[in-house]
Amino acid sequence: MVIDAREIWPHEILTKLKKIFEEYREKEIDIEILIKTQSDAKRIKAFAAMSGYNANVEAKNGYFSTYITGISCGCV
């Protein structure tokens, strides 16, 4: 799943991710989130890690991509 969050507020993507994490609790996920700034990408990465997922940030051409994978412990 790819989510282009470059044109939405960072808190909106975190709210959306929370809903996705709840929906896919204890199931495998593979999400790429496109975001404008490195600091927002790091926030997303931290939120994913706190929720039990693996996350990596990669710089792209003028934006950042956060890859979230894994299975949550169910503690969202």
Side-chain angles (χ1 to χ4, degrees), residues 22-55:
E22 289 171 351
E23 181 180 335
Y24 285 88
R25 185 173 290 147
E26 299 180 7
K27 296 178 185 173
E28 183 76 29
I29 66 165
D30 185 1
I31 303 171
E32 178 182 13
I33 300 171
L34 312 178
I35 197 84
K36 285 183 184 180
T37 68
Q38 185 175 22
S39 63
D40 290 338
K42 287 181 178 181
R43 275 189 220 127
I44 292 167
K45 178 181 176 180
F47 181 71
M50 180 182 71
S51 300
Y53 295 100
N54 299 313

Side-chain angles (χ1 to χ4, degrees), residues 6-23:
R6 292 176 285 184
E7 299 299 322
I8 63 174
W9 292 100
H11 71 275
E12 290 179 51
I13 189 61
L14 293 177
T15 301
K16 183 173 182 144
L17 274 177
K18 184 175 188 240
K19 289 178 184 175
I20 291 171
F21 291 169
E22 289 171 351
E23 181 180 335

Side-chain angles (χ1 to χ4, degrees), residues 46-72:
F47 181 71
M50 180 182 71
S51 300
Y53 295 100
N54 299 313
N56 295 305
V57 174
E58 183 178 318
K60 297 284 189 169
N61 188 19
Y63 64 94
F64 293 85
S65 179
T66 304
Y67 296 94
I68 302 170
T69 59
I71 299 174
S72 173

